[in-house]
Amino acid sequence: MKTTLIIGAGGVSRVVVHKCVQNADVFGKIVLASRSIGRCEVIKSELPHANIEITTVDADNTDELIKLISKCQADIVINVALPYQDLTIMDACIATKTPYLDTANYEHPDEAKFEYKLQWQRDEKFKEAGIMGLLGSGFDPGATNMFCAYAQKHYFDEIHTIDILDCNAGDHGYAFATNFNPEINLREVSSKGRYWQKNEDGIGEWIETEPMEIMQVWDYPEVGPKDSYLLYHEEMESLVKHIKGLKRIRFFMTFGQSYLTHMKCLENVGMLGIEPVEHKGMKIVPMEFLATLLPDPASLGPRTKGKTNIGIVAEGIKDGKKRKIYIYQVKDHEECYAEVKAQGVSYTTGVPAMISAKLMLKGIWSGKGVFNMEQMDPDPFMQEMMTQGLPWQIKELEV
Ligand code: NDP
C-alpha cells in the first residue's frame, strides 16, 4: 500500500485530503503533517473512516522533514504548506529520494520575487536522486498550464498569444477577505504588473506596469462581464520557455471595487509592507499583522456563493490558418462546500494537486528532475479533471 505525505493543513490541504481519500486505491495511507495539530485534527474528524495519520512538523526545518519522510516511508510528498517552505521540503525529498509536488513557487518571507529560479536550480539534484519534482500544480499555476499544453498539442501548430483569465465571482459577505493565504494573496496583487512579449527583433521582454494599471472587461461564461486587471503570475515564467512560437502572454484577474478600495487604503497606510517595523519595542511585519486580523480563508467556505471561471484564450496558427480558442472551467462555491467543506478557490487548487499526484503515483507521468506542468502530457490530466469535479469546456472564438 502506498503512503502519501501531505504537508500543511489549510484550505487547500483540506481539499487535497478529501480528494485523496476519494481516490484511496491510489493514495493508500495518508499522513497529514502541519505546524500545529489543531487544523489536522479538524480535517481528520471530517473523514472518520479514512486511513489518516496526523502529526506536527516544522516544514522550515529540513532535518525534521527528512525524519518524518523516512519514518512514514512516503511514496510522494504533496506540499500544500506555504511557498516559504518549498525549498526545505524539496531538499528533504532529495535526501530521502521521494517524489515532490507543490502548488506555488518558492517565496522568501522578506522579499516577494515570484520566480522559479531556486527551484529550477535543484533540477540536477532531483535527477541525481532519480526522482520527479512537479512545480505549480494548483489551478493557476497548474490547470492553466495544462490548458496551454492541451491547446498546443491538439489545436495549434504554433500559439502566438495567450491570455490567462482568472475570475472569482464568489461573494463571502465580508467587506474584505482573501480567498487563500492573505499574505501570499496580498503580495501577489499589490506588486507591479508584468507581461511578456517579443519585440521587433523577436527577443522576449518583460514589460512592467503599475499595479492594476491595465484593465479589460471580459465576459466570463456563466458569470458575466467583469473588470479584469493585468497582474504578473508565476506560470508565465515557465510557459514562455515551453510554448512554441509564443509572441505574447498576459495574465488577468477580476477584482470587485470594494476589494480594490480596501487594498488602496491598506497600501496607503503601509499595512501591505513586508519589511519589519518597530512597534512598542517589538518588530512586527505589517502584512503579517494584517493577515492575523483578516478572516481565515478556510472559514469562508460556508459563506461563499457564486462561481469561479478560470481559463485561457490562445491564438495562433493551425494548418496555415489563424485560430483562436478559449478553454475554461467554471466551479460553483456552494457545490465545493457541499462536497469537501471548502470554498471554490481552495477546491480548484486542491483538485489539480491531487490529480497530478495520482498520475505520478500511477507512473502515468514520470521523469527525473524538476518539471513544470506543461512539460507533462496534458491528456490524462484533462481527462481526470472531467471526473474529479473540474469539468472544462472549449470554445472556438472568431479570429
Ligand atoms: P493556508 O494558510 O490556509 O494553509 C497553510 C498551511 O501550511 C497551514 O496549515 C499552516 O499551518 C501550514 N504551515 C505554514 N507554515 C508551516 C511550517 N513552517 N511548517 C508546517 N506547516 C506550515 O494556505 P492555503 O491552503 O490557502 O494555501 C496553501 C498553498 O496553496 C500556498 O502555497 C498557496 O500559495 C497555494 N495556492 C496555490 C494556488 C494555485 O492555484 N496554484 C491558489 C491558492 C493557493 P498552521 O495551521 O499552523 O497555520
Side-chain angles (χ1 to χ4, degrees):
M1 188 174 65
K2 302 270 191 221
T3 298
T4 301
L5 174 59
I6 299 171
I7 302 182
V12 176
S13 169
R14 163 179 275 121
V15 178
V16 175
V17 176
H18 275 258
K19 282 289 178 181
C20 288
V21 168
Q22 287 177 16
N23 292 267
D25 55 324
V26 178
F27 290 97
K29 180 170 122 185
I30 288 162
V31 178
L32 174 61
S34 192
R35 182 169 50 190
S36 44
I37 202 75
R39 289 162 109 186
C40 301
E41 284 168 350
V42 173
I43 296 174
K44 183 175 160 67
S45 72
E46 289 166 3
L47 295 157
H49 305 297
N51 187 358
I52 304 176
E53 219 175 87
I54 56 172
T55 185
T56 53
V57 71
D58 175 6
D60 290 319
N61 183 326
T62 306
D63 291 338
E64 240 186 73
L65 287 162
I66 292 173
K67 277 190 201 129
L68 172 64
I69 298 170
S70 308
K71 187 172 158 221
C72 67
Q73 295 188 306
D75 292 285
I76 190 163
V77 175
I78 303 179
N79 167 14
V80 275
L82 295 178
Y84 313 133
Q85 282 85 48
D86 287 1
L87 300 183
T88 43
I89 301 177
M90 286 178 88
D91 289 343
C93 284
I94 293 166
T96 55
K97 298 189 170 32
T98 313
Y100 167 89
L101 177 154
D102 67 30
T103 65
N105 69 208
Y106 169 72
E107 286 299 339
H108 191 279
D110 302 334
E111 203 181 359
K113 289 209 162 158
F114 311 111
E115 61 183 26
Y116 284 115
K117 191 168 88 191
L118 295 173
Q119 291 178 276
W120 285 342
Q121 275 173 6
R122 281 157 169 80
D123 183 52
E124 269 311 309
K125 292 238 165 87
F126 269 72
K127 285 196 173 94
E128 281 162 23
I131 52 165
M132 176 168 170
L134 186 63
L135 308 182
S137 184
F139 207 101
D140 46 336
T144 48
N145 303 55
M146 284 285 99
F147 290 172
C148 295
Y150 191 76
Q152 175 163 273
K153 181 169 174 184
H154 297 289
Y155 286 83
F156 292 97
D157 296 323
E158 250 186 31
I159 297 180
H160 293 159
T161 66
I162 294 173
D163 277 349
I164 301 167
L165 302 164
D166 177 336
C167 167
N168 176 12
D171 181 6
H172 41 59
Y174 288 115
F176 187 70
T178 62
N179 291 294
F180 64 96
N181 184 276
E183 249 181 273
I184 305 297
N185 184 224
L186 292 170
R187 275 182 180 216
E188 185 173 282
V189 301
S190 59
S191 298
K192 291 213 177 202
R194 232 185 312 158
Y195 64 98
W196 181 93
Q197 73 180 15
K198 278 197 175 147
N199 64 20
E200 285 161 1
D201 302 323
I203 311 234
E205 294 177 328
W206 289 101
I207 319 283
E208 198 170 80
T209 67
E210 288 307 310
M212 310 290 170
E213 183 188 332
I214 297 181
M215 193 277 278
Q216 66 169 7
V217 178
W218 183 259
D219 193 356
Y220 294 88
E222 297 184 48
V223 172
K226 293 273 171 203
D227 293 353
S228 308
Y229 295 84
L230 186 143
L231 299 183
Y232 178 70
H233 222 243
E234 67 203 55
E235 63 264 52
M236 292 192 286
E237 189 186 7
S238 66
L239 287 167
V240 300
K241 285 175 59 167
H242 299 133
I243 299 295
K244 259 191 290 182
L246 197 62
K247 295 181 179 162
R248 189 189 73 200
I249 183 165
R250 306 182 298 184
F251 180 97
F252 290 88
M253 190 180 270
T254 61
F255 295 99
Q257 265 321 312
S258 169
Y259 187 96
L260 293 178
T261 308
H262 278 79
M263 279 275 301
K264 195 83 221 146
C265 296
L266 291 165
E267 194 173 16
N268 286 346
V269 296
M271 281 300 288
L272 301 184
I274 56 176
E275 294 290 324
V277 295
E278 189 88 16
H279 174 72
K280 294 194 171 174
M282 296 190 291
K283 293 255 186 235
I284 61 164
V285 176
M287 179 86 92
E288 280 178 17
F289 179 62
L290 175 64
T292 308
L293 298 179
L294 290 175
D296 174 4
S299 73
L300 302 179
R303 309 170 52 104
T304 309
K305 296 180 179 20
K307 290 180 177 170
T308 62
N309 177 333
I310 313 174
I312 64 136
V313 173
E315 204 173 335
I317 300 281
K318 179 74 180 172
D319 299 330
K321 287 199 197 105
K322 283 191 178 174
R323 181 176 217 186
K324 188 172 182 178
I325 61 157
Y326 182 21
I327 311 179
Y328 61 92
Q329 201 287 321
V330 179
K331 195 68 201 174
D332 184 278
H333 283 283
E334 288 173 279
E335 202 184 291
C336 298
Y337 190 74
E339 187 192 332
V340 297
K341 295 190 165 55
Q343 40 87 3
V345 174
S346 302
Y347 189 96
T348 55
T349 309
V351 174
M354 178 283 291
I355 293 175
S356 296
K358 181 173 174 179
L359 297 177
M360 286 165 71
L361 279 175
K362 288 180 88 172
I364 296 172
W365 279 357
S366 60
K368 294 182 177 66
V370 171
F371 299 89
N372 291 89
M373 294 284 289
E374 67 275 14
Q375 293 174 272
M376 298 291 118
D377 178 6
D379 292 353
F381 183 96
M382 298 291 276
Q383 274 163 21
E384 284 282 339
M385 280 184 83
M386 285 295 186
T387 56
Q388 299 285 354
L390 294 177
W392 46 273
Q393 300 186 51
I394 200 157
K395 262 190 188 172
E396 194 90 35
L397 302 182
E398 264 183 47
V399 185

